[in-house]
Amino acid sequence: MATLLYRLGRLAFRRRRLVLLAWVAVLVAAVIGVSGVSGSTTDDFALPGTQSQQAIDLLEKEFPGASASGATARVVVEAKDGRKLTSAAHKQQVESLIADLRKAPQVASVADPFAGGLVSSSGGIAYAQVTYGVPPADITSAASDALHAVADKGGKAGLTVSLGGNAVLEEEQSNAAELIGLLVAAFVLVITFGSLVAAGLPLLSAIVGVGVALCAITVASSFVDMASNAQTLALMLGLAVAIDYALFIVSRYRTELREGHEPEEAAGRALGTAGSAVVFAGLTVIIALAGLSVIGIAMLTTMGLAAAFAITVAVLVALTLLPATLGFTGTRVAHGRLTTRRMRAAQHGQRVTMGVRWGRFVTRHPWKMSLACVVGLGVLAIPALSLRLTLPDDSMAAPGSTQRIAYDTLTEGFGPGFSGPLTVVVDARGSNDAKAAATETSALLGGLDDIATVRPPVFNEAGDVALITAVPDSSPTSQETVDLVAEIRDRGAAVEEDGGARVMVTGTTALNIDVSARLGEAMVPYLAIVVGLALVLLLLVFRSVLVPLKAAAGFLLSVVATLGVLVAVFQWGWLKDVFGVDETAPIVSLLPILLIGVVFGLAMDYEVFLVSGMREAYVHGASPTEAIVTGFRHGARVVTAAAVIMISVFAGFLLDDVALVKSIGMGLATAVLFDAFVVRMTLVPAVMTLLGARTWALPRWLDHFLPNVDVEGEKLRHALAERDRHARLCAPVEPEPTASAPLG
C-alpha cells in the first residue's frame, strides 16, 4: 500500500492542475445538485419485532383513519393575563383555529380540545392534537406553512400559540460552532507550522471535503429518510478528521523537504508513509460508523453512513487534492516566517522538545503514571453506572423554540405526562368478549399509581380491536414512565392468559422506550465487535500481541470515563451551568453507540501515528525505552496539535442550543481529551516502559501467518534507499583532469 500511495502522491503532484480542476468540478456539481433538491430529515424510528411496532402495524390495519404512523403536531393555546379559553370570545377564536387546521394540507384529523377534554382545569390552556396522513419525512412545506399560519393567526387574536410534535420542522441552526472550530484550528496550525501557507492547506482540504460531503448528503436526503442530526455529525467529524489527516501529511512533507528531497519526491514519500497511516485510520472510523447499520435502526444507520461518507471524502481529499496543492506551494511550506527561535532550534535538533521531555518523564515514572491514569479515569467512570438512556423529545428542544414552549406550557397546564401519552391497544380478535377485555384493561390502567387519566376505549369497525389512551403522571423521559410501560405490559400478559385478548403499549413514548432498550442491549455487542476489530487491525499494523491489547484497554477506559462525565453533567446536572445545559435528562440513546464508533477510530488514529515511530526506532536497534522517547520526538507535536484541533471543533458544538448536538459535541471532545493526552500520551508509553522488549513480542507461527501491511512504509523506505544506492553506483564517473605535457 505504501508503494501505491507513493506513486499516487507523485502523480497528483505532477498533475496538480488536473487534480485541482477535478475537485473543483466535483464541488461545483455537488453545489448544483443540492440547489435543485429539497432535502428532508426525520427523527422517526421503526423497530421491527418490538411490541410497540407490532401495535402500530395493527392500528394501521384496523384504524386506517387514525394514521398510526403519521406525523403529529400539538397546537398548544394559552390565554393571556390569566383569562380562560372557555369564555365565549376565546372559545370562538380557538374553534376558528381548529377549522383552519382541518383544512390544512395532509391533515387526517384534528382533536377538538373542547369536545375531547383537552382543556386544563384552570381553563387557561388547551391543545389540539393534529394527525397527518403521511409520516414526518413526507410533510410538505405547504403543510408546515399552514401550521405556522395558524399559530400566527392565534397570536394576532391575543392568544399564545406554540407548536410541538414531530410534524414541526426544526429551525435552521447557526454556524457559530463550525466557525469557532475553524478559527481555533487555524490558530493551532499556525502555531504548529509557523507558516500561513502550511496552515492553510489543511483548512482548504477540510472546507472542500466537508462541502462535497454535506452537499451529497443533502441530495441523498431527497431519496431516503435521513436523520435530522446526520448532517451535523457528518460536519463535526468530517471537519475535524479532514484537518487532522492533512496535518499529518503536511508535517511529513516538511520533514522530507528538510532531509533534502525534491518537492515531488517529498510528496510521494509523505503520502507513502503518513498517507498509509491516514488510510488505516480512516478505514477504522469508516468501518466503525458503517457498522452502526447492523443494529437495525434506520435513523442510526443514516447517521452512521452519512458520517462514514464524510470520512471517506476526507481521506480521498487528503490523498489527492492535498499533494496537488503541495505542488503549487513547493518548498514554501517548509519555510515558516512565524516560527520562534526556540521552534527553529527544535526543528534542527538543537533543543529538546516538550514532547521528548514528557516522554522521558513518563518513562522514568512508569508505575506512578500508569496508576494515576487508571485511577483517574476509573473515578470519572463511576457515574456511568447510573447511565439511563432516552430519545430526544420536545423537552430537549432549544430554549425559546416553539417546541420547547409547547412542552413547558403543556406541563404547566396538564402535567408532564400529557406530552407523551401512551396508546394501549387491546387485540381481542382471539377473545370471546372484546368489550369485556377492553373494560378490564381500562380498569387495570386506572388502578395504576402513575396514570393521570384514562380515556374511554375506541373500537374498530369489527369491534374486536380497542384503542385506549392513557396519560402518565410523569414525563416521557422519566424512569417512572419506563417502569409504567413495563408494568402495563406485565399485567397485560395476565389479561391475555385470562381472556385471550392481547394488550400492547405503543405511541411515541413507548416506541422511544423500546428503541432505548434496543440500543442499550446493542451497546455491549457493538463494543465487543469494535474492540475485536481494533485487536485484529493493530495486530496487523504493529505485529505485536501486547500493543493491541493495551490499545484496546485504553480505548475502553476512555469510553467509560467519557460516559461518566456525560452522566454527571447531563443527567446529574454537575456543572450544567458552566456547559450551558438547560435541563437535566437521561443521556440520548444514540450517543453511547456513536461515541464508541467515533472514538474507536480516533483512538486508533493516534495510536498509529505515535506508536509507529516507536516501533520503527525499536526495529532499527533502539532500546525499548529509547524507542518510546524517539516516538515522542517524531510524533508528539503533531498528535498534540491534531488532538487540540479535534477537541476545539467538537467543543464548539457546546454552543448549540439543541441538547443532542450539545451532548455529542461534549462527548466527543471529552473522549479525544482523555484518549489523546491521558491514554496515548501517558498510559501507553508508561505501560510500554514496564513491558520492555515484551511489548513487541510476536509468536513465530503468528509472524509467518500474518500478512505485512506495511502501514509505516518501512518496505517503501528500504526500496527507495536501495534505489538511491543503485543510482549512485550506476552514475557515470567523471574522468579526473590530467596535467598536459609542456610544449616543446
Side-chain angles (χ1 to χ4, degrees):
M1 181 173 66
T3 302
L4 178 64
L5 291 176
Y6 167 78
R7 293 171 181 169
L8 177 62
R10 297 195 63 169
L11 178 64
F13 189 97
R14 288 196 307 271
R15 307 293 186 188
R16 47 188 174 272
R17 290 180 177 82
L18 180 62
V19 173
L20 180 60
L21 286 175
W23 274 107
V24 170
V26 170
L27 182 59
V28 170
V31 172
I32 293 175
V34 79
S35 64
V37 300
S38 57
S40 61
T41 59
T42 179
D43 286 330
D44 262 16
F45 286 88
L47 209 57
T50 61
Q51 187 186 103
S52 54
Q53 189 64 47
Q54 292 170 358
I56 289 176
D57 296 339
L58 178 61
L59 289 176
E60 288 284 0
K61 178 181 178 182
E62 301 296 335
F63 294 86
S67 188
S69 62
T72 59
R74 289 182 295 275
V75 180
V76 183
V77 184
E78 183 179 11
K80 297 181 179 179
D81 301 327
R83 298 178 183 179
K84 294 187 177 182
L85 294 173
T86 51
S87 65
H90 281 332
K91 185 174 182 180
Q92 183 178 0
Q93 291 168 348
V94 174
E95 289 176 342
S96 175
L97 298 179
I98 300 300
D100 290 346
L101 287 171
R102 286 175 175 154
K103 298 175 185 176
Q106 300 181 303
V107 170
S109 63
V110 180
D112 190 329
F114 300 108
L118 304 180
V119 181
S120 66
S121 57
S122 65
I125 298 173
Y127 78 96
Q129 184 81 4
V130 183
T131 303
Y132 289 82
V134 296
D138 296 333
I139 292 292
T140 63
S141 57
S144 177
D145 292 342
L147 190 60
H148 286 280
V150 168
D152 294 339
K153 180 179 177 180
K156 293 177 181 178
L159 302 172
T160 300
V161 182
S162 51
L163 308 172
N166 56 20
V168 182
L169 301 180
E170 295 284 346
E171 296 180 359
E172 292 292 331
Q173 300 295 322
S174 69
N175 296 322
E178 298 93 309
L179 181 60
I180 291 175
L182 279 174
L183 291 176
V184 174
F187 178 76
V188 174
L189 289 170
V190 170
I191 294 298
T192 302
F193 291 133
S195 165
L196 291 177
V197 174
L201 294 181
L203 294 176
L204 175 63
S205 300
I207 292 171
V208 172
V210 168
V212 170
L214 290 184
C215 289
I217 292 170
T218 302
V219 172
S221 67
S222 299
F223 304 98
V224 298
D225 292 340
M226 190 74 66
S228 62
N229 291 295
Q231 288 189 345
T232 301
L233 182 64
L235 171 63
M236 192 184 299
L237 293 179
L239 191 63
V241 167
I243 293 175
D244 270 12
Y245 291 169
L247 167 63
F248 291 128
I249 294 175
V250 172
S251 177
R252 190 60 187 238
Y253 175 74
R254 284 160 55 95
T255 300
E256 298 294 341
L257 286 178
R258 292 194 184 101
E259 291 180 358
H261 298 292
E262 292 297 319
E264 181 180 331
E265 178 70 11
R269 289 173 179 258
L271 216 64
T273 51
S276 298
V278 164
V279 171
F280 167 80
L283 281 176
T284 57
V285 184
I286 291 168
I287 292 172
L289 290 170
L292 295 173
S293 58
V294 303
I295 297 174
I297 297 177
M299 178 181 177
L300 195 59
T301 298
T302 58
M303 291 181 70
L305 292 179
F309 176 74
I311 303 298
T312 303
V313 175
V315 173
L316 292 176
V317 168
L319 298 181
T320 55
L321 179 61
L322 183 61
T325 54
L326 290 174
F328 289 105
T329 61
T331 59
R332 285 178 293 168
V333 173
H335 305 297
R337 297 182 179 181
L338 302 178
T339 55
T340 63
R341 182 181 301 175
R342 297 176 65 184
M343 292 172 62
R344 290 192 294 271
Q347 290 173 357
H348 292 88
Q350 301 170 355
R351 177 180 170 271
V352 179
T353 64
M354 180 69 73
V356 171
R357 289 200 294 269
W358 176 252
R360 290 173 178 172
F361 176 78
V362 172
T363 54
R364 284 198 301 268
H365 309 282
W367 277 112
K368 294 179 181 178
M369 302 307 292
S370 299
L371 288 175
C373 293
V374 173
V375 172
L377 293 177
V379 170
L380 290 173
I382 292 175
L385 298 173
S386 302
L387 176 67
R388 288 175 46 225
L389 301 176
T390 189
L391 285 178
D393 61 4
D394 286 347
S395 67
M396 300 181 185
S401 64
T402 186
Q403 295 97 325
R404 182 58 178 275
I405 294 172
Y407 176 86
D408 293 339
T409 304
L410 276 181
T411 301
E412 177 187 349
F414 301 93
F418 261 78
S419 295
L422 303 176
T423 301
V424 181
V425 180
V426 182
D427 182 6
R429 291 175 296 179
S431 173
N432 296 327
D433 193 343
K435 290 187 177 180
T439 302
E440 181 183 355
T441 304
S442 294
L444 181 153
L445 295 171
L448 298 178
D449 293 336
D450 202 43
I451 291 289
T453 58
V454 179
R455 294 171 192 160
V458 178
F459 288 88
N460 62 341
E461 289 185 4
D464 54 5
V465 177
L467 186 154
I468 305 171
T469 300
V471 179
D473 272 328
S474 305
S475 68
T477 59
S478 67
Q479 185 62 40
E480 290 79 7
T481 301
V482 175
D483 296 338
L484 174 63
V485 171
E487 185 177 3
I488 294 174
R489 287 172 173 170
D490 291 341
R491 300 225 182 162
V495 173
E496 184 175 3
E497 291 179 3
D498 294 340
R502 187 183 181 193
V503 178
M504 296 178 287
V505 186
T506 187
T508 302
T509 299
L511 186 62
N512 287 353
I513 290 172
D514 289 342
V515 170
S516 297
R518 172 73 67 86
L519 289 172
E521 294 168 359
M523 186 162 57
V524 174
Y526 180 69
L527 184 61
I529 293 172
V530 167
V531 171
L533 177 63
L535 293 176
V536 173
L537 291 177
L538 291 179
L539 184 64
L540 290 173
V541 172
F542 294 115
R543 309 187 70 80
S544 164
V545 175
L546 294 180
V547 168
L549 289 176
K550 67 173 180 54
F555 160 67
L556 291 174
L557 276 174
S558 301
V559 168
V560 295
T562 301
L563 290 177
V565 171
L566 290 173
V567 169
V569 175
F570 287 90
Q571 190 173 307
W572 291 357
W574 292 5
L575 301 176
K576 68 174 186 177
D577 294 334
V578 174
F579 295 104
V581 179
D582 181 63
E583 185 175 336
T584 59
I587 303 302
V588 177
S589 305
L590 304 172
L591 185 52
I593 293 286
L594 287 175
L595 198 65
I596 291 171
V598 174
V599 175
F600 162 70
L602 300 182
M604 299 308 102
D605 194 341
Y606 299 135
E607 181 81 12
V608 170
F609 282 110
L610 192 60
V611 180
S612 60
M614 301 176 186
R615 181 178 184 273
E616 181 181 352
Y618 180 77
V619 169
H620 284 81
S623 68
T625 302
E626 290 174 348
I628 294 171
V629 176
T630 301
F632 272 91
R633 178 179 294 112
H634 294 312
R637 183 179 181 84
V638 177
V639 170
T640 299
V644 171
I645 290 172
M646 281 274 192
I647 294 169
S648 303
V649 172
F650 293 149
F653 286 85
L654 280 168
L655 300 176
D656 200 293
D657 292 330
V658 179
L660 174 59
V661 176
K662 187 186 292 286
S663 61
I664 290 176
M666 181 174 183
L668 293 177
T670 304
V672 172
L673 174 66
F674 290 160
D675 198 86
F677 295 111
V678 180
V679 174
R680 307 300 152 193
M681 300 279 285
T682 307
L683 181 60
V684 165
V687 172
M688 290 175 66
T689 303
L690 295 174
L691 293 174
R694 289 172 295 178
T695 300
W696 310 106
L698 182 69
R700 183 172 300 176
W701 64 269
L702 190 57
D703 186 29
H704 291 297
F705 175 76
L706 292 177
N708 193 342
V709 295
D710 192 27
V711 170
E712 304 99 330
E714 184 177 348
K715 287 184 177 180
L716 173 65
R717 282 190 291 271
H718 288 316
L720 293 176
E722 181 65 23
R723 184 200 66 183
D724 294 342
R725 188 182 70 84
H726 182 72
R728 287 194 300 270
L729 291 175
C730 296
V733 179
E734 295 290 339
E736 294 184 4
T738 57
S740 57
L743 293 175

